[in-house]
Amino acid sequence: METIAVYWEARVKVYGITTRHGLVLGVLRFSAERLDYWSGRIVELEDPLPRFELVTCQIAGINGMEVLLVIEEEGRQTLLQLMREWLDRDPSAQFATEGPVDMIFLHGPHFQDRFGIADTAFAALAKNGVPILLSGCAGTSMYLVFPEGKGEAAKRILTDTFLIPTTA
């Protein structure tokens, strides 16, 4: 006999919510056959860009890939210049930026072990009409990207939604 435990909280606990403003979301679309080429180019971005806030990849269409990059605004021109050079070598690829954008980081205890955290966040934001451009999760953090000016509203909603223990 196997026993499975599920951790459930009436009000989900997070250990902090951090907001960043003035970021840029870059979206690179390319054929999966060119993954080798583009993965090499993404690695090359590490030195000239000041900082990555989030990098994620997803399948796009039948044979496509998308790499989504969230960077600080000060790196936008460098990113655009490099992408123009690289797109010359792969004319079927596309790159666009959106921004500025806001980003929220939710920090918590082992999100992967706790049920309903993403659903709770997404439902609260949707109920209040706050659009999400991009989301990502790691073991103890959730990343949410919003159009400019929506980060503070999202933070208020999520602060009311989640339990954030204080150190008083």
Side-chain angles (χ1 to χ4, degrees), residues 25-37:
L25 170 61
V27 181
L28 172 65
R29 292 181 180 92
F30 57 91
S31 167
E33 295 166 356
R34 299 285 289 161
L35 181 59
D36 231 18
Y37 172 74

Side-chain angles (χ1 to χ4, degrees), residues 17-114:
I17 299 176
T18 303
T19 308
R20 294 285 319 269
H21 303 285
L23 301 172
V24 174
L25 170 61
V27 181
L28 172 65
R29 292 181 180 92
F30 57 91
S31 167
E33 295 166 356
R34 299 285 289 161
L35 181 59
D36 231 18
Y37 172 74
W38 284 108
S39 61
R41 301 302 69 78
I42 300 304
V43 169
E44 290 178 29
L45 290 173
E46 187 175 359
D47 288 332
L49 293 180
R51 178 180 166 95
F52 286 106
E53 293 296 337
L54 178 65
V55 179
T56 188
C57 183
Q58 64 187 14
I59 304 292
I62 294 171
N63 191 31
M65 303 286 297
E66 281 185 344
V67 173
L68 300 110
L69 310 158
V70 179
I71 63 167
E72 294 177 348
E73 173 64 39
E74 66 191 62
R76 182 195 295 247
Q77 289 310 313
T78 301
L79 179 62
L80 288 171
Q81 178 185 344
L82 288 168
M83 284 296 174
R84 277 192 289 273
E85 292 173 21
W86 296 337
L87 288 167
D88 284 345
R89 296 182 215 141
D90 186 358
S92 65
Q94 301 170 334
F95 182 75
T97 60
E98 182 172 338
V101 297
D102 297 338
M103 184 176 205
I104 287 182
F105 306 85
L106 290 169
H107 311 288
H110 308 291
F111 284 167
Q112 72 270 22
D113 296 337
R114 295 162 62 226

Side-chain angles (χ1 to χ4, degrees), residues 9-14 17 106 116-128 153-164:
E9 299 166 301
R11 188 165 177 214
V12 177
K13 184 186 312 176
V14 299
I17 299 176
L106 290 169
I117 292 173
D119 182 59
T120 300
F122 297 159
L125 294 166
K127 177 181 171 187
N128 289 280
K155 184 175 182 179
R156 282 191 304 276
I157 292 163
L158 295 174
T159 299
D160 290 342
T161 301
F162 292 105
L163 175 64
I164 304 171

Side-chain angles (χ1 to χ4, degrees), residues 1-6:
M1 174 178 284
E2 182 178 354
T3 302
I4 298 174
V6 176

